[in-house]
């Protein structure tokens, strides 16, 4: 066997090993995510406690602090995930555990965001700072549950129409939901769309009327 063929064979074997490692890791992560759903599924008593926490937000200041806390932990678990990759590698147990933690936090935050919107509506820019106003959209943005996003989309669209959410942020969020639902990037077909035009397009494509 020539040296060139040996090199090609070794390279092919390395690619196969990498592929098999990726498959094995994905199966491991899938198992962890299944565990997260079971482990962090809220019981009736836990939901009552969280609902009570929402109902106890009697002032704008308390609601603002609540929203900002949700934002902080959302960003914290994502920073931890990035750090786990940089420090231990993408295929590490540490990264898988960081994903598990992020999934559990996202599940709790989604429940809290739903209850907040149902109780108080979308935060407005005249009463809350930018971080608090952005938080409910951000929490839903990070979810893979498209049906939940669809159910609560009227809150985001009304907030956009009233000037509480920028066209760029809503368009960015809708673009992610398009990728999740259809598994591909939105194709502009050479056209240049403004954020406002993209919003109209995505609402139609995602059936969010």
């Amino acid at each position: 066997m020539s040296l060139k063929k040996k090199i090609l064979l070794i390279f092919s074997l390395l690619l196969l090993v990498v592929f098999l490692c990726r498959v094995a890791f994905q199966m491991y992560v899938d198992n962890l995510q299944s565990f997260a759903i079971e482990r962090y599924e809220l019981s009736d008593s836990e939901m009552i406690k969280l609902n009570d926490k929402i109902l106890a937000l009697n002032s704008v200041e308390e609601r603002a602090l609540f929203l900002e806390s949700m934002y902080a932990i959302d960003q914290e678990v994502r920073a931890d995930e990035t750090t786990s990759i940089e420090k231990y590698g993408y295929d590490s147990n540490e990264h898988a555990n960081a994903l598990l933690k992020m999934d559990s936090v996202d599940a709790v935050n989604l429940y809290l965001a739903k209850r907040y919107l149902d109780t108080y509506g979308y935060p407005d820019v005249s009463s809350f700072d930018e971080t608090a106003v952005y938080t409910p959209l951000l929490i839903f943005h990070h979810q893979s549950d498209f049906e939940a996003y669809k159910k609560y989309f009227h809150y985001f669209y009304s907030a956009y129409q009233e000037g509480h959410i920028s066209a760029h942020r809503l368009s960015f969020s809708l673009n992610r939901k398009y990728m999740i639902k259809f598994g591909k990037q939105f194709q502009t077909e050479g056209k240049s769309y403004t954020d406002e035009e993209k919003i109209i397009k995505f609402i139609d494509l995602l059936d969010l009327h």
Side-chain angles (χ1 to χ4, degrees), residues 3-44:
L3 178 60
K4 183 178 180 180
K5 287 183 178 180
K6 287 182 179 179
I7 293 174
L8 287 174
L9 178 60
I10 293 172
F11 182 70
S12 298
L13 289 172
L14 286 173
L15 287 177
L16 178 60
V17 170
V18 170
F19 172 75
L20 291 174
C21 288
R22 291 285 184 181
V23 170
F25 177 71
Q26 188 59 53
M27 291 174 64
Y28 175 57
V29 170
D30 288 343
N31 288 333
L32 282 176
Q33 290 174 337
S34 296
F35 170 78
I37 292 171
E38 295 173 3
R39 172 62 182 84
Y40 293 98
E41 184 175 356
L42 298 173
S43 67
D44 290 342

Side-chain angles (χ1 to χ4, degrees), residues 171-183:
S171 173
F172 181 74
S173 180
L174 286 166
N175 183 57
R176 183 171 189 268
K177 298 308 171 183
Y178 178 89
M179 288 190 291
I180 289 174
K181 184 173 183 179
F182 296 108

Side-chain angles (χ1 to χ4, degrees), residues 96-113:
N97 289 332
L99 286 174
L100 172 62
K101 180 181 178 182
M102 186 166 65
D103 286 344
S104 65
V105 167
D106 283 351
V108 173
N109 270 354
L110 179 61
Y111 182 83
L112 289 172

Side-chain angles (χ1 to χ4, degrees), residues 14 46 80 86 92 94 113 118 136 155 186:
L14 286 173
E46 288 171 323
D80 288 346
E86 294 172 347
S92 64
E94 288 80 3
D118 289 338
Y155 284 109
F186 171 62

Side-chain angles (χ1 to χ4, degrees), residues 38-109:
E38 295 173 3
R39 172 62 182 84
Y40 293 98
E41 184 175 356
L42 298 173
S43 67
D44 290 342
S45 61
E46 288 171 323
M47 286 189 285
I48 290 173
K49 289 180 181 179
L50 290 174
N51 283 329
D52 289 343
K53 183 177 182 180
I54 295 293
L55 294 173
L57 302 173
N58 296 316
S59 67
V60 171
E61 290 75 19
E62 289 175 340
R63 294 171 198 169
L65 181 60
F66 172 80
L67 292 169
E68 289 164 7
S69 296
M70 289 179 65
Y71 177 89
I73 192 170
D74 174 274
Q75 296 299 291
E76 178 184 324
V77 293
R78 281 164 173 77
D80 288 346
E81 193 234 345
T82 300
T83 299
S84 71
I85 296 172
E86 294 172 347
K87 191 172 181 179
Y88 302 104
Y90 186 87
D91 296 338
S92 64
N93 289 337
E94 288 80 3
H95 180 221
N97 289 332
L99 286 174
L100 172 62
K101 180 181 178 182
M102 186 166 65
D103 286 344
S104 65
V105 167
D106 283 351
V108 173
N109 270 354

Side-chain angles (χ1 to χ4, degrees), residues 116-188:
Y116 183 95
L117 292 174
D118 289 338
T119 306
Y120 302 111
Y122 205 90
D124 62 271
V125 292
S126 63
S127 302
F128 298 87
D129 66 17
E130 184 179 359
T131 297
V133 171
Y134 181 42
T135 295
L137 176 62
L138 179 68
I139 298 303
F140 277 83
H141 172 78
H142 283 151
Q143 306 298 320
S144 59
D145 184 353
F146 177 75
E147 291 305 316
Y149 187 89
K150 183 175 182 178
K151 181 179 179 180
Y152 283 81
F153 179 73
H154 67 281
Y155 284 109
F156 311 137
Y157 190 63
S158 294
Y160 156 67
Q161 289 183 310
E162 294 167 6
H164 307 309
I165 297 175
S166 70
H168 175 71
R169 280 182 166 169
L170 185 58
S171 173
F172 181 74
S173 180
L174 286 166
N175 183 57
R176 183 171 189 268
K177 298 308 171 183
Y178 178 89
M179 288 190 291
I180 289 174
K181 184 173 183 179
F182 296 108
K184 61 181 181 180
Q185 289 276 2
F186 171 62
Q187 301 298 318
T188 61

